[in-house]
Amino acid sequence: MPPPKKLDLIPEELRRWLAEELRDRGFSDIVSVTDALNDRIAAEGLEIRVGKSAVGDFSKALKDQREAFALADQLLSDLDIEREGELHRVLMQMIATSAVHMIDHVRKEDGHLEPKDLMSLGRMLKDLMASSGMREKLLSDERERVAREAREAQQAELADKLEQGVARGTINGDAARAAREIMGFG
């Protein structure tokens, strides 16, 4: 078993500081960030010295993670959630069709399917189905949010109209309170 990475041995607050420092410096200036980290480690009284390559690897991982989140955010903001759900369904059908063709080909050729290939296919299908389920949940949640916001906007509009009616004197204040109570928006 390989020894733990030195960055895993430093306190969590120093790792957080390192991540923030790297982000602030645009994931560059690794040498001075490493020196600053080692100074902080020494100030904590720890007997660990972290190398530039470890900080560089950590910096690259953080940068890659930030780029992945930015890409995911961009994709989700660009893609309509319903369209994305449809894309998952089509992809699932394509994979299922490919699986059938692969199994059919194996039957015709030598009748043997490698367990590793079958396991990979099964894992891919399972992951895609789980992903599709999450997309459907997102779609459902989005529909609920839109409907709730529409209800709240309509209630606010009706409440405003009641207030305007009371202010103009076209509706009695008690009647307006009773109407709010009946409509369920207090």
Side-chain angles (χ1 to χ4, degrees):
M1 181 174 216
K5 295 179 181 179
K6 288 188 179 178
L7 283 177
D8 292 337
L9 299 174
I10 66 173
E12 179 64 31
E13 61 270 4
L14 284 177
R15 276 195 303 278
R16 276 196 301 272
W17 173 86
L18 177 61
E20 289 172 15
E21 193 68 19
L22 288 166
R23 273 192 293 271
D24 292 347
R25 294 186 191 208
F27 302 99
S28 61
D29 202 13
I30 301 299
V31 173
S32 64
V33 172
T34 303
D35 291 340
L37 174 64
N38 283 319
D39 290 344
R40 286 177 171 261
I41 290 171
E44 294 271 330
L46 299 171
E47 303 266 335
I48 300 171
R49 187 129 183 96
V50 177
K52 295 178 297 239
S53 60
V55 173
D57 290 345
F58 186 70
S59 175
K60 183 179 179 342
L62 283 175
K63 186 177 180 185
D64 291 348
Q65 183 182 43
R66 185 175 85 165
E67 289 172 357
F69 283 142
L71 180 62
D73 188 44
Q74 183 67 39
L75 283 173
L76 289 177
S77 67
D78 286 351
L79 270 179
D80 180 281
I81 289 179
E82 283 187 45
R83 216 173 102 213
E84 191 174 343
E86 186 60 32
L87 184 66
H88 268 74
R89 279 189 285 282
V90 169
L91 188 55
M92 179 67 108
Q93 290 170 347
M94 289 171 59
I95 290 173
T97 301
S98 295
V100 169
H101 287 302
M102 184 179 81
I103 291 169
D104 193 40
H105 175 74
V106 166
R107 275 194 214 141
K108 289 177 185 173
E109 292 297 315
D110 63 0
H112 186 262
L113 183 62
E114 291 294 320
K116 185 175 92 176
D117 294 336
L118 190 57
M119 187 176 79
S120 294
L121 179 65
R123 185 176 297 133
M124 182 173 49
L125 286 169
K126 182 186 109 199
D127 290 347
L128 187 60
M129 285 188 290
S131 175
S132 182
M134 287 188 298
R135 293 289 178 229
E136 291 300 320
K137 172 85 169 95
L138 281 174
L139 179 58
S140 174
D141 291 350
E142 180 67 9
R143 285 182 183 144
E144 287 177 23
R145 183 190 64 78
V146 168
R148 184 182 66 250
E149 286 177 358
R151 277 192 312 274
E152 290 170 355
Q154 185 181 26
Q155 287 179 343
E157 182 182 341
L158 290 172
D160 188 47
K161 285 182 180 180
L162 281 173
E163 290 303 317
Q164 289 174 9
V166 171
R168 285 192 309 261
T170 56
I171 190 169
N172 176 312
D174 292 334
R177 275 190 294 283
R180 275 195 225 73
E181 220 172 273
I182 290 169
M183 290 186 276
F185 52 90

